Amino acid sequence: MLVLIADKFPASGREVLGRLGEVVYRPELSAEQLPAALAETKADILVVRSTVVSETALAASPPLSLVVRAGAGTNTIDTAAASRRGIFVANCPGKNAIAVAELTMGLILALDRRIVDATLELRHGTWNKSKYGKARGLKGQTLGLVGFGMIAREVAVRARAFGLKLLTCAHHPIAPELLEAHGVVQVADLGALLDASDIVSVHVPYSKANHHLIGADQIARMRPGATLIHTSRGGVVDDKALAEAVRSGRLRAGLDVFEGEPAGGQADFKNIAGDVGDIYATPHIGASTEQAESAISDEVVRIIESFVARGIVHHAVNLNERVARYSLVVRHLDRVGVLAGILMALREERVNVQGMSNTIFAGGEAACATITFEQAPSDECLQRLRDHEAILAVELRAART
Ligand SMILES: NC(=O)c1ccc[n+]([C@@H]2O[C@H](COP(=O)([O-])OP(=O)(O)OC[C@H]3O[C@@H](n4cnc5c(N)ncnc54)[C@H](O)[C@@H]3O)[C@@H](O)[C@H]2O)c1
Ligand SMILES: O=C(O)CC[C@@H](O)C(=O)O
């Protein structure tokens, strides 16, 4: 088994993976160089952070069967192409949420106290207490969290300690216990959240549907003097419209992600923070704390270990989520050919198997197979299975609709 790691990844994690197979560490690879590296190494497993994984990359190594995103967002991986090729794509949900929440709070505080500007002036020898000795203060202000996933919840925990009032919006009703536990109120929709918030912080994944979720209209709807914090993904906010609103003095913004940002560690990048003083910005470092990188590394190792040892992929993001209409539970003696016999019987019925698992009981004598499909096998087929000398019991279950 060969694991190609195409982004920065801790040495401790690489060492553990090295015990499972060969590890090729190429953190310098760009998206353009990735296909050639995959073709050359014939990697079975690919680990990436922000490096884009295109269909060409996925096709470059025939044995490639798993791509692990050492992070949360998978929009940089062509998951549709991976699904077409039967390649699992997995991520590490929540493992860097605290780090992003900490940066979010950092940007909120830095903007309120204008810490960056004050530091820059002091560095140049200017004492400007008159200018920087004015801030609104956070207590009692309203923070609107766009999305209420892992990161937004960690932001809520921290923001509450600062005395902020918390709102959120989602496409569906969020469980009341979850809202209550975080001291958050769900408002009707994004518009209501923008109307009511002094600070808006964006925590949704990038997708076609979320492209410019915070566009010119939403930016215009924000309260005058409000602050927008964006640490989710370039493209969720319309950067140009935001820059205009900040330049006009209506808003302030704290950004960790940008439209068209470079994927690698160092590059020239002309960006909207360059000429707009009220934009504070960091180069996509939300997840980059030692704590988060270590938690992500442990999770990547866990995902790969489980895949190699048991074929189970934790946090796969490109599986068919549809619940099969029928499942057949077959308890059987653990003998060669029994499973093949069951599948042959289903094949004769032209039943297309959707999923299958087989668990062996302690002692190794008996096992239980669960097979799922959309179309029920006939009674005759079920009887034939029941009559098999190595089959102990057969039960057909229909999913509740
Ligand atoms: N700056 C960084 O370094 C960094 C690090 C980690 C994650 N991220 C980004 O942050 C995003 C969120 O991360 P997370 O761990 O909280 O993910 P998550 O999946 O736990 O939460 C995202 C939530 O947003 C909701 N959502 C999606 N579209 C929405 C919409 N239009 N309106 C309201 N809710 C919507 C989803 O239902 C989900 O509950 C990631 O997808 C990634 O792009 C950035
Ligand atoms: O790996 C990184 O540096 C960024 C990760 C982050 O954007 C994520 O989606 O987890």
Side-chain angles (χ1 to χ4, degrees):
M1 191 215 42
L2 190 142
V3 182
L4 173 63
I5 304 180
D7 269 305
K8 202 175 134 224
F9 194 73
S12 54
R14 281 184 270 141
E15 198 190 308
V16 186
L17 290 176
R19 288 185 224 134
L20 299 175
E22 192 182 340
V23 175
V24 176
Y25 185 48
R26 300 279 308 276
E28 80 294 350
L29 286 175
S30 66
E32 294 69 35
Q33 294 165 327
L34 188 58
L38 281 161
E40 184 198 322
T41 55
K42 298 194 174 45
D44 302 277
I45 297 173
L46 172 66
V47 177
V48 283
R49 284 178 66 160
S50 296
T51 299
V52 171
V53 183
S54 63
E55 178 153 24
T56 313
L58 293 165
S61 170
L64 184 68
S65 44
L66 171 65
V67 178
V68 186
R69 165 60 155 118
T74 49
N75 65 301
T76 40
I77 300 168
D78 190 338
T79 45
S83 301
R84 285 196 295 275
R85 293 181 165 271
I87 299 172
F88 290 100
V89 178
N91 70 348
C92 304
K95 296 294 170 187
N96 54 25
I98 290 176
V100 183
E102 287 173 352
L103 182 70
T104 300
M105 292 311 299
L107 289 167
I108 292 173
L109 287 162
L111 280 158
D112 189 54
R113 295 301 185 96
R114 309 184 63 87
I115 292 172
V116 175
D117 298 290
T119 304
L120 288 174
E121 288 205 24
L122 276 170
R123 285 222 177 109
H124 288 98
T126 308
W127 178 266
N128 209 339
K129 184 165 175 170
S130 330
K131 182 171 168 193
Y132 296 112
K134 298 175 200 139
R136 284 179 218 161
L138 300 189
K139 187 165 178 287
Q141 290 203 48
T142 299
L143 169 63
L145 300 165
V146 183
F148 199 57
M150 303 300 241
I151 296 173
R153 288 176 223 173
E154 294 296 347
V155 173
V157 169
R158 285 147 188 83
R160 221 175 156 190
F162 280 91
L164 284 151
K165 292 182 199 144
L166 299 169
L167 305 178
T168 192
C169 62
H171 292 311
H172 50 80
I174 300 167
E177 316 84 69
L178 189 61
L179 291 169
E180 202 181 314
H182 289 81
V184 175
V185 172
Q186 179 171 8
V187 292
D189 55 21
L190 176 60
L193 181 132
L194 298 172
D195 288 343
S197 301
D198 304 298
I199 306 165
V200 174
S201 193
V202 186
H203 303 288
V204 297
Y206 180 80
S207 62
K208 259 192 201 155
N210 281 345
H211 182 76
H212 288 185
L213 179 72
I214 309 292
D217 291 347
Q218 291 69 28
I219 287 165
R221 193 162 173 172
M222 285 178 67
R223 289 180 167 183
T227 296
L228 180 74
I229 305 293
H230 179 31
T231 59
S232 70
R233 195 59 94 238
V236 173
V237 171
D238 181 341
D239 284 358
K240 199 163 158 269
L242 177 65
E244 276 166 25
V246 178
R247 209 176 274 124
S248 75
R250 274 197 64 245
L251 302 181
R252 288 183 198 174
L255 309 175
D256 185 46
V257 290
F258 302 83
E259 293 191 88
E261 68 180 43
Q266 232 177 346
D268 289 335
F269 180 47
K270 201 168 172 318
N271 63 86
I272 57 170
D275 62 342
V276 188
D278 275 345
I279 294 181
Y280 279 10
T282 47
H284 202 150
I285 54 162
S288 304
T289 63
E290 279 176 19
Q291 294 168 351
E293 285 178 352
S294 158
I296 291 276
S297 164
D298 290 351
E299 192 67 351
V300 169
V301 168
R302 191 176 82 90
I303 291 168
I304 294 178
E305 272 176 346
S306 155
F307 179 61
V308 171
R310 302 193 301 284
I312 294 170
V313 181
H314 296 296
H315 310 311
V317 299
N318 63 333
L319 300 184
N320 184 352
E321 296 296 344
R322 206 177 52 191
V323 178
R325 293 179 63 197
Y326 298 96
S327 60
L328 186 67
V329 181
V330 183
R331 287 190 287 116
H332 61 94
L333 297 179
D334 184 30
R335 291 194 197 146
V336 174
V338 180
L339 282 178
I342 299 170
L343 292 175
M344 285 292 284
L346 293 171
R347 194 186 107 161
E348 279 164 26
E349 292 268 299
R350 306 192 68 77
V351 167
N352 187 23
V353 170
Q354 289 201 338
M356 177 160 182
S357 67
N358 190 47
T359 308
I360 298 172
F361 290 93
E365 284 186 33
C368 179
T370 303
I371 304 163
T372 57
F373 27 71
E374 280 298 293
Q375 168 205 335
S378 65
D379 290 343
E380 294 76 51
C381 173
L382 296 176
Q383 193 54 49
R384 228 175 323 138
L385 292 177
R386 287 189 181 109
D387 291 344
H388 192 295
E389 40 113 18
I391 289 181
L392 304 169
V394 175
E395 193 189 336
L396 180 67
R397 296 177 186 158
R400 283 199 203 139
T401 45

